[in-house]
């Protein structure tokens, strides 16, 4: 299996622009998570889906952030408009209920820089 | 409010010696704990876990200890090897069926040859 695939690997954009991050989870996994890594807060959970349905979005910073999962093999995280404080590494992860409890499989992340 | 805390941002250990990474938590509902390891430019990967019904779990060179009364867990690596140099994240979850993991801020471990 190819693992969790994220794109792009790096994104540099200017303040005010729209940014879309993409994720393809491992086939057969029914949970998908979006995390953000910063030095100050470590890995923060932004939102997670079960069977394509958002379950908990309490970690989404503000209305500028939105996430969708139109089908079992694709999810997007959108920031509009982007701000310099959004600069971080964004990780997507997936898991399945029948597996080891809470064992997540992470993608390689998207390094976002907002200038 | 950081529910999972790793108070040491970095740690350096001589090759062959023991590495001890610490983690504290505040939420008494947490009953399952995990350690993840992260190399640069890669996503975190699962390392070892422990349920609250145990106080120790061992996997090769890696052992995790859980002290529920102190709300503290630690990861021991013996002996430490250069390939162990990475960032280690502690994570916790509350009750089975809640797939949400809460992570700490990470500890960067450097093994000195």
């Amino acid at each position: 299996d190819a693992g969790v695939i994220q794109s792009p690997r790096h994104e540099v954009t200017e303040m005010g622009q729209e940014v879309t991050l993409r994720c393809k989870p491992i086939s057969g996994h029914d949970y998908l998570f979006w995390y953000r890594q910063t030095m100050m807060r470590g890995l923060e959970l932004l939102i997670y889906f079960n069977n394509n349905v958002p379950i908990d979005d309490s970690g989404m910073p503000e209305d500028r952030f939105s996430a969708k999962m139109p089908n079992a093999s694709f999810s997007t995280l959108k920031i509009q408009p982007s701000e310099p404080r959004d600069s971080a590494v964004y990780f997507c992860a997936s898991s399945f209920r029948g597996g080891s409890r809470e064992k997540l499989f992470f993608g390689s992340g998207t390094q976002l820089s907002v200038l | 409010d950081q529910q999972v805390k790793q108070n040491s941002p970095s740690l350096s250990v001589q090759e062959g010696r023991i590495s001890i990474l610490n983690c504290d938590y505040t939420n008494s509902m947490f009953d399952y704990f995990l350690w993840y390891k992260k190399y640069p430019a890669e996503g975190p990967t699962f390392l070892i876990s422990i349920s609250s019904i145990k106080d120790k779990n061992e996997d090769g060179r890696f052992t995790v200890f859980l002290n529920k009364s102190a709300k503290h867990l630690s990861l021991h690596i013996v002996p430490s090897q250069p390939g162990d140099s990475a960032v280690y994240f502690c994570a916790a979850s509350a009750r089975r069926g809640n797939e949400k993991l809460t992570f700490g801020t990470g500890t960067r471990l450097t093994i000195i040859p």
Side-chain angles (χ1 to χ4, degrees), chain B residues 86-98:
Chain B
V87 177
Y88 290 79
F89 289 97
C90 173
S93 73
R95 70 176 176 82
R96 187 171 190 87
N98 179 356

Side-chain angles (χ1 to χ4, degrees), chain A residues 8 15-16 23 29 33 42 47 51 61 66 71 73 76 81 100-101 115:
Chain A
M15 184 174 63
C23 175
H29 283 193
F33 304 81
I47 185 171
N51 292 324
S66 63
N71 57 62
S73 58
T76 59
S100 298
R101 181 180 167 185
L115 307 177

Side-chain angles (χ1 to χ4, degrees), chain A residues 7-71:
Chain A
S7 64
R9 286 299 304 271
H10 303 275
E11 177 78 38
V12 180
T13 191
E14 293 187 348
M15 184 174 63
Q17 296 297 307
E18 177 180 298
V19 175
T20 300
L21 311 181
R22 296 173 175 79
C23 175
K24 176 178 168 58
I26 293 173
S27 177
H29 283 193
D30 53 358
Y31 285 87
L32 184 138
F33 304 81
W34 283 100
Y35 280 88
R36 177 171 68 176
Q37 183 191 3
T38 61
M39 288 294 292
M40 292 299 296
R41 302 179 68 86
L43 280 165
E44 294 177 272
L45 178 64
L46 301 177
I47 185 171
Y48 78 95
F49 297 82
N50 178 221
N51 292 324
N52 313 338
V53 176
I55 302 300
D56 184 347
D57 66 353
S58 60
M60 296 286 260
E62 47 199 272
D63 292 345
R64 297 184 298 107
F65 285 68
S66 63
K68 294 182 180 179
M69 192 166 185
N71 57 62

Side-chain angles (χ1 to χ4, degrees), chain A residues 9 31 33 35 37 39-43 45 48 56 58 91 97 99 101-104 106-108, chain B residues 2 31-32 34 36 38 41-44 46 89 93-101 103-105:
Chain A
R9 286 299 304 271
Y31 285 87
F33 304 81
Y35 280 88
Q37 183 191 3
M39 288 294 292
M40 292 299 296
R41 302 179 68 86
L43 280 165
L45 178 64
Y48 78 95
D56 184 347
S58 60
F91 288 102
R97 183 178 285 275
R101 181 180 167 185
E102 285 87 344
K103 182 177 175 181
L104 305 185
F106 282 83
S108 298
Chain B
Q2 200 75 20
D31 65 347
Y32 196 74
L34 308 90
Y36 279 75
K38 184 186 176 307
E42 295 182 11
F46 170 77
F89 289 97
S93 73
R95 70 176 176 82
R96 187 171 190 87
N98 179 356
E99 310 298 334
K100 177 177 174 176
L101 276 184
F103 283 84
T105 51

Side-chain angles (χ1 to χ4, degrees), chain B residues 11-67:
Chain B
L11 176 68
S12 294
V13 174
Q14 206 77 32
E15 180 179 359
R17 306 294 290 269
I18 182 172
S19 295
I20 301 176
L21 294 90
N22 293 303
C23 177
D24 298 293
Y25 61 95
T26 58
N27 188 340
S28 58
M29 298 300 292
F30 287 148
D31 65 347
Y32 196 74
F33 304 89
L34 308 90
W35 286 93
Y36 279 75
K37 177 179 180 179
K38 184 186 176 307
Y39 291 120
E42 295 182 11
T45 55
F46 170 77
L47 184 60
I48 192 170
S49 62
I50 187 167
S51 165
S52 60
I53 62 173
K54 296 184 175 180
D55 55 16
K56 176 182 174 181
N57 189 27
E58 195 171 350
D59 183 2
R61 297 185 297 112
F62 302 90
T63 302
V64 56
F65 295 92
L66 176 62
N67 182 333

